[in-house]
Amino acid sequence: MTSQLGTGARPLRVAIVGAGPSGFYAAGALLQQKDYHVSIDIFDRLPTPYGLVRYGVAPDHQKIKSVIKVYERTMADSRVRYFGNVDLGSDITQPELKQHYDQIIYAVGALSDRRLDIPGEDLPGSFSATEFVAWYNGHPDFVDYEVDLSVESAVVVGVGNVAMDVTRILAKSVDELSKTDIADHALEKLAHSNIKHIHIIARRGPVQAKFTNPEIKELGELEVADVIVKPEDLVLDAASEAELAADRTTQRNMETLREFAERGVTGKPRQIHFHFLRSPVEICGDGQVTSVRMEKNLLVAKEDNYIACEGIGEFDDLPAGLVFRAIGYRSVPIPGVPFYDRWGLIPNQGGRVTATHKGETVPGEYVVGWAKRGPTGIIGTNKPDAVETVNLMLEDVPNLTPVADANPSAVVQLLQSRNVDYINFIDWQFLDQVEVKRGAPQGRPRVKITDVDEMLDLVRSKQGEE
Ligand code: NAP
């Protein structure tokens, strides 16, 4: 006789693909519910867990990273196992996951970036913020990234929080950066940076900027950089005035920008220049970025209260040797999993994966986080997002066909039969301690290990000693 799904004898087997914040919040929500016994395996392509908290959150924002404590509590639960360094597609396939797990959650985030689709975007010296952020955060895939910081002027396109992060990292002194867990290779390179001017290009006005108040305020507190905002850029049209009146965050942002405009230049060696109502229309250069051509914009209020921008046919050129596009992230397709290319995410209804945009649901497959809703919100936004998905998963349990091979050891055997060098959570905790120990003498939170082979060698030598 087969046991009922979700009981102690036959727990609900769930695979979570991706050990970032959304995956951990989904695991946490599954552990908290009382209706079913669960057994959860979390997989990550990298040996290291925590996804964007480790490789996206800026190294000078350590407080945000303390959220890891919550994820550690989730991992400490005996119902959860961690399989790091396991790539979905090459080490284990999606059909294999479907053989061993009653439900699968894709928590794969948004690994790629949106494009401007303008001439010159792929010239050497033009980068996505995704690459730069991953590089300075020590993501193993970006260790060999080459960015030439001998130039004097860089352009950052976009005015979201990622643009603020990139700007701050370019603008900070080596003293400021050396207290953080920024990757050693980035610290070394930024220590010799020649950048004096960082130009931030916003296609709309200051009221429409997407940054949040702590992030814009921080620019005004940098040791070696002044922020330059032109007072005339803060003169608002009627639609922007109305938008401003309705939103407290925007009001605080405007107060900060006004303070910057009043303060002006104080003589610090670096300068951050804001350019509002400008769209990049071409990245210019002969074999290397030398300037960015911008078109002036006008704001146009649309019927749905959205304030759009339109070019007015007037152009100016901004000399720059580097361009960072910080205009949003995009998910990348996973083999065998539906993907809605237009929005760059896994199509879904509230977290239930659908075969196409607005199509039929795919039984047993779910999505959370940026792969579900697009690249918006702060880390905490992923908690209610994951709870929504998990609630639907629980609703679906009575209609599920339990998988035949639910034995937790089957997945281990499969990975071992392929010689997949996976690591478990205890292995990760060991690596974590190594990093923290390396950071202590330098007064840093940790020194990140950026090479996967070094991580695996360290883990294996620890196991050899046991
Ligand atoms: P974002 O907040 O969506 O900002 C994207 C920016 O790019 C906007 O200013 C947008 O302008 C602009 N943009 C988009 N397409 C453009 C184009 N074709 N030409 C010119 N500009 C264009 O995205 P993000 O900065 O990547 O951040 C992603 C999410 O992570 C956000 O929710 C953010 O708050 C969060 N995050 C939070 C923190 C933190 O809490 N400290 C740090 C980093 C990221 P329009 O408004 O005109 O579209």
Side-chain angles (χ1 to χ4, degrees):
M1 201 188 95
T2 49
S3 307
Q4 205 189 337
L5 189 60
T7 58
R10 173 60 170 89
L12 178 71
R13 293 275 293 140
V14 179
I16 300 181
V17 183
S22 63
F24 272 104
Y25 287 124
L30 280 165
L31 293 179
Q32 267 177 17
Q33 56 78 38
K34 304 270 181 263
D35 296 341
Y36 300 104
H37 286 256
V38 291
S39 149
I40 303 167
D41 289 345
I42 304 180
F43 295 88
D44 203 285
R45 187 169 79 80
L46 292 173
T48 50
Y50 310 137
L52 212 66
V53 177
R54 181 173 164 99
Y55 295 119
V57 171
D60 56 345
H61 279 179
Q62 286 299 315
K63 265 195 203 150
I64 298 182
K65 297 185 189 220
S66 60
V67 68
I68 283 173
K69 290 200 183 77
V70 177
Y71 311 152
E72 284 173 340
R73 280 201 292 276
T74 298
M75 273 319 310
D77 193 297
S78 59
R79 294 169 288 176
V80 184
R81 298 187 300 181
Y82 177 64
F83 293 90
N85 200 34
V86 178
D87 181 47
L88 177 62
S90 56
D91 295 327
I92 192 164
T93 64
Q94 192 263 0
E96 284 163 350
L97 286 186
K98 292 215 68 140
Q99 278 168 26
H100 295 292
Y101 297 93
D102 304 302
Q103 294 181 320
I104 304 171
I105 305 175
Y106 303 109
V108 292
L111 288 176
S112 184
D113 59 289
R114 283 202 204 123
R115 291 182 58 84
L116 285 163
D117 288 328
I118 60 172
E121 191 163 6
D122 295 317
L123 271 177
S126 165
F127 300 102
S128 71
T130 328
E131 297 166 284
F132 186 60
V133 169
W135 171 72
Y136 66 62
N137 275 322
H139 190 298
D141 292 355
F142 293 85
V143 171
D144 296 327
Y145 167 85
E146 284 295 334
V147 57
D148 178 6
L149 298 175
S150 68
V151 301
E152 287 203 356
S153 185
V155 161
V156 178
V157 183
V159 272
N161 281 332
V162 171
M164 297 302 103
D165 286 349
V166 167
T167 300
R168 236 182 24 259
I169 297 301
L170 288 171
K172 277 199 164 180
S173 68
V174 67
D175 275 358
E176 287 169 300
L177 293 173
S178 61
K179 298 178 192 112
T180 73
D181 66 357
I182 191 165
D184 273 353
H185 56 243
L187 185 60
E188 164 68 18
K189 200 133 194 194
L190 286 158
H192 298 103
S193 165
N194 205 25
I195 296 210
K196 295 190 175 51
H197 299 279
I198 303 153
H199 298 275
I200 301 174
I201 305 184
R203 63 177 170 182
R204 300 190 288 156
V207 166
Q208 291 79 34
K210 294 260 177 68
F211 47 65
T212 39
N213 201 241
E215 281 66 26
I216 183 68
K217 266 189 138 161
E218 256 183 298
L219 291 191
E221 294 156 7
L222 299 176
E223 277 175 11
V224 294
D226 282 326
V227 188
I228 297 166
V229 176
K230 296 184 267 303
E232 62 269 27
D233 276 358
L234 304 182
V235 178
L236 303 178
D237 64 324
S240 296
E241 285 285 7
E243 193 175 338
L244 179 67
D247 187 71
R248 190 67 198 114
T249 298
T250 314
Q251 288 163 19
R252 285 199 205 100
N253 284 348
M254 277 302 282
E255 282 162 23
T256 307
L257 289 170
R258 288 202 175 102
E259 270 172 46
F260 292 163
E262 274 168 33
R263 192 191 304 172
V265 180
T266 69
K268 293 180 181 174
R270 289 184 177 145
Q271 296 185 339
I272 298 167
H273 308 258
F274 274 90
H275 303 267
F276 288 102
L277 294 173
R278 296 285 187 284
S279 280
V281 290
E282 184 176 353
I283 298 175
C284 313
D286 186 9
Q288 172 68 36
V289 174
T290 50
S291 66
V292 176
R293 177 151 304 153
M294 306 185 295
E295 183 173 13
K296 287 187 193 167
N297 291 331
L298 261 187
L299 292 178
V300 184
K302 300 283 177 184
E303 277 167 12
D304 56 1
N305 282 339
Y306 180 78
I307 301 180
C309 59
E310 278 175 14
I312 59 168
E314 288 178 27
F315 300 89
D316 39 27
D317 285 348
L318 200 54
L322 280 172
V323 175
F324 299 99
R325 307 177 305 266
I327 62 166
Y329 288 73
R330 243 182 98 81
S331 293
V332 291
I334 309 172
V337 181
F339 191 71
Y340 184 40
D341 195 56
R342 192 160 162 220
W343 292 357
L345 43 72
I346 298 176
N348 70 92
Q349 280 172 13
R352 282 185 181 117
V353 173
T354 54
T356 55
H357 179 55
K358 296 192 174 162
E360 296 278 300
T361 55
V362 181
E365 293 183 47
Y366 302 86
V367 59
V368 290
W370 279 5
K372 168 185 171 183
R373 65 175 196 277
T376 59
I378 56 170
I379 289 177
T381 314
N382 292 301
K383 194 171 178 186
D385 171 289
V387 168
E388 179 190 44
T389 297
V390 167
N391 285 342
L392 295 180
M393 290 171 68
L394 300 173
E395 247 179 51
D396 292 348
V397 172
N399 302 319
L400 275 182
T401 309
V403 288
D405 193 0
N407 188 339
S409 61
V411 172
V412 174
Q413 280 159 15
L414 179 75
L415 294 175
Q416 284 174 345
S417 72
R418 286 193 184 140
N419 293 322
V420 176
D421 212 354
Y422 66 89
I423 76 162
N424 62 29
F425 201 67
I426 293 170
D427 298 333
W428 156 247
Q429 285 176 313
F430 169 72
L431 290 176
D432 186 30
Q433 282 165 16
V434 172
E435 289 190 343
V436 172
K437 267 192 205 145
R438 287 182 184 179
Q442 301 174 38
R444 300 172 65 188
R446 68 179 62 239
V447 171
K448 281 184 181 174
I449 305 167
T450 58
D451 181 62
V452 169
D453 288 335
E454 186 187 351
M455 292 180 198
L456 298 177
D457 286 349
L458 280 162
V459 166
R460 298 306 158 228
S461 59
K462 175 212 49 147
Q463 286 168 345
E465 286 165 18
E466 284 166 358

